[in-house]
Amino acid sequence: MAGSGGNPSLGGQSHQAPKILLAKPGLVSGGKFNRGGTDDPDSNAHRPRIGSLNLLSDTWDFHSDRFLPFLTDNTEFTVVGVIGPPGVGKSTIMNEIYGFDATSPGVLPPFAIETEETRAMSKHCTVGIEPRVSAERIILLDTQPVFSPSVLAEMIRPDGSSTVPIISGESLSAELAHELMSIQLGVLLASICHIILVVSEGVHDASMWRLMSTVDLLKHGIPDPSSLTLSHPQTSEKESRDKILDGGEEYMADPVFVHTKLRTEDLTPCNVVQLKKALTQIFCSLSILRSKNHTTAKESHASAVPLNAHSADRESEDLKLFLLPSRNKDESLKPQYESHISALWNLRDQVLSMRGPSFSRTVSERDWLKNSAKIWEIVKNSPIIVDYCRTLQSSGMVRR
């Protein structure tokens, strides 16, 4: 799975963390942010210094130039994105996939994680989309939380309107704009990633399932980053959309549904089977499970509890569900099924070994980024999303 349509499996790797190629600029001081000392060629001192690495800024603009110096003409790469509400552990999961070793003294994580101070101030760590790239050329996209009160508080004016231009040429209320931000983030990640981690807390929160169902319905007509339609800007929007649909270029990243902070009673084999059946019922008729690009080989899908091969329906074989137990504060207690750390390692191994959908054509890292910026403009101007916005306005479901 890569720009060329399928790189060798990345599974079977040890948990030794790679060198940190891309540090969080705001946290880097005069010290060396690397694992190899001052002579390490991947030292941050040898990297271009830029003000911010966010692909999406707080003004909802795409800044490809900030991240471009860190990418190459390599075509064997994997893009992994994450989406979820605040406090569910998105950045922690991305740090694990990156290979960050939290036991190394004096080394900051590539993605900032929530602290007690952050929680007390009701703030969020990530703004827009923050990218990092690992030594294995895995491009990781961490996103700001969806359904987040702190995001809404930062974008609302005294009159209730939004300070962020979510849809080009449209003035929206902050509540409606906040709702559409989550959808646009989901549509973008589903369009430019190979794998998208959909993270929820507990087993009873279905808000992310509903969000991804909406994303699946509204994403149509948006190409992947290797599409030829992006190379012809003179083509009208309607012609491009028709060409995508007629040419079979519809693309959807492979979703992995992750539920975090689960209790022991949530992890029983019976509950796991029921959760997977419920998830399959929602998505069995959507393109998430109908992707033509999925491999035919049977993958070993992860779970915090081993499942019998005959315990789940055949139609759920392509659905990837992973359960992460809560972190045990009492280290003397042995977990009944699997520890939080062990489950996190297994999630990393599964993601690195996945063969999700490939882009339709070979594309380099740099071209992927440039075309992703074009896709973002298509998303912001999508007539389908605009119609959905107007439907929400007329229905009275959100404040106008």
Side-chain angles (χ1 to χ4, degrees):
M1 158 189 37
S4 60
N7 61 328
S9 172
L10 296 174
Q13 301 176 22
S14 67
H15 294 297
Q16 181 179 1
K19 297 183 180 69
I20 294 183
L21 303 182
L22 205 54
K24 189 176 180 63
L27 298 177
V28 178
S29 59
K32 298 295 186 296
F33 193 95
N34 64 79
R35 300 181 185 275
T38 56
D39 295 329
D40 193 320
D42 289 326
S43 167
N44 200 60
H46 296 273
R47 294 282 176 177
R49 295 308 297 264
I50 50 183
S52 173
L53 290 172
N54 296 63
L55 290 184
L56 275 186
S57 66
D58 53 359
T59 59
W60 223 230
D61 294 316
F62 201 98
H63 299 281
S64 57
D65 56 318
R66 298 175 178 177
F67 189 50
L68 190 60
F70 297 93
L71 299 183
T72 69
D73 291 326
N74 166 54
T75 60
E76 293 293 325
F77 64 96
T78 302
V79 186
V80 180
V82 66
I83 189 170
V88 294
K90 298 185 300 298
S91 297
T92 299
I93 293 172
M94 296 300 267
N95 286 333
E96 182 67 27
I97 295 174
Y98 183 94
F100 171 68
D101 183 5
T103 63
S104 298
V107 180
L108 297 172
F111 296 105
I113 58 177
E114 189 180 53
T115 62
E116 292 292 339
E117 181 181 4
T118 306
R119 284 192 290 269
M121 297 178 63
S122 298
K123 297 291 185 181
H124 53 280
C125 297
T126 305
V127 176
I129 296 180
E130 291 191 9
R132 302 290 184 267
V133 57
S134 76
E136 302 94 345
R137 307 317 295 175
I138 302 173
I139 300 173
L140 300 168
L141 305 179
D142 193 12
T143 63
Q144 69 181 36
V146 298
F147 314 130
S148 172
S150 60
V151 173
L152 178 59
E154 290 182 357
M155 62 186 291
I156 189 170
R157 290 193 177 102
D159 64 356
S161 62
S162 171
T163 60
V164 183
I166 300 301
I167 295 179
S168 301
E170 295 274 349
S171 177
L172 305 175
S173 70
E175 291 183 0
L176 179 56
H178 185 235
E179 176 82 11
L180 293 176
M181 287 176 84
S182 304
I183 295 172
Q184 289 181 338
L185 271 179
V187 170
L188 178 65
L189 292 182
S191 302
I192 68 174
C193 295
H194 296 105
I195 302 167
I196 175 173
L197 305 178
V198 184
V199 188
S200 305
E201 181 175 341
V203 294
H204 302 295
D205 182 10
S207 60
M208 293 306 301
W209 296 10
R210 291 191 293 268
L211 174 62
M212 291 309 296
S213 296
T214 304
V215 166
D216 184 90
L217 293 173
L218 301 182
K219 185 193 170 299
H220 299 293
I222 298 176
D224 70 64
S226 68
S227 174
L228 288 177
T229 59
L230 298 175
S231 304
H232 303 285
Q234 70 275 10
T235 305
S236 70
E237 183 177 323
K238 183 179 184 304
E239 290 174 339
S240 297
R241 187 166 64 253
D242 292 343
K243 184 176 181 180
I244 293 167
L245 296 176
D246 294 340
E249 295 187 51
E250 190 75 16
Y251 176 85
M252 173 68 75
D254 203 357
V256 177
F257 293 90
V258 183
H259 285 253
T260 65
K261 303 184 179 180
L262 300 185
R263 304 166 299 175
T264 300
E265 53 266 34
D266 297 326
L267 300 173
T268 63
C270 179
N271 286 345
V272 173
V273 170
Q274 292 300 319
L275 184 62
K276 192 164 187 177
K277 283 185 176 180
L279 188 60
T280 303
Q281 282 184 336
I282 291 179
F283 292 101
C284 64
S285 63
L286 302 181
S287 61
I288 283 178
L289 294 185
R290 296 200 311 267
S291 175
K292 298 178 181 179
N293 294 313
H294 284 177
T295 57
T296 56
K298 301 297 182 184
E299 296 180 4
S300 175
H301 302 322
S303 172
V305 183
L307 294 178
N308 185 289
H310 301 289
S311 64
D313 295 334
R314 288 181 178 273
E315 63 185 4
S316 67
E317 290 180 348
D318 287 334
L319 188 66
K320 300 171 183 65
L321 173 66
F322 202 98
L323 307 182
L324 287 178
S326 296
R327 187 185 299 272
N328 197 344
K329 296 181 180 179
D330 187 353
E331 296 182 357
S332 64
L333 296 177
K334 185 177 180 180
Q336 182 176 352
Y337 297 106
E338 187 175 19
S339 70
H340 172 83
I341 295 178
S342 176
L344 203 55
W345 286 349
N346 286 337
L347 174 59
R348 177 179 188 264
D349 287 344
Q350 286 293 317
V351 171
L352 294 183
S353 63
M354 279 178 59
R355 289 178 177 270
S358 299
F359 298 143
S360 55
R361 296 171 182 83
T362 300
V363 65
S364 69
E365 294 173 1
R366 287 175 173 266
D367 287 337
W368 165 84
L369 181 60
K370 294 174 183 177
N371 289 339
S372 293
K374 298 177 183 178
I375 290 177
W376 178 241
E377 291 304 314
I378 296 175
V379 171
K380 291 185 70 174
N381 292 281
S382 167
I384 299 176
I385 297 179
V386 170
D387 288 344
Y388 179 79
C389 170
R390 289 169 181 165
T391 300
L392 288 180
Q393 284 180 311
S394 61
S395 66
M397 295 178 65
V398 294
R399 185 184 302 176
R400 300 190 180 187

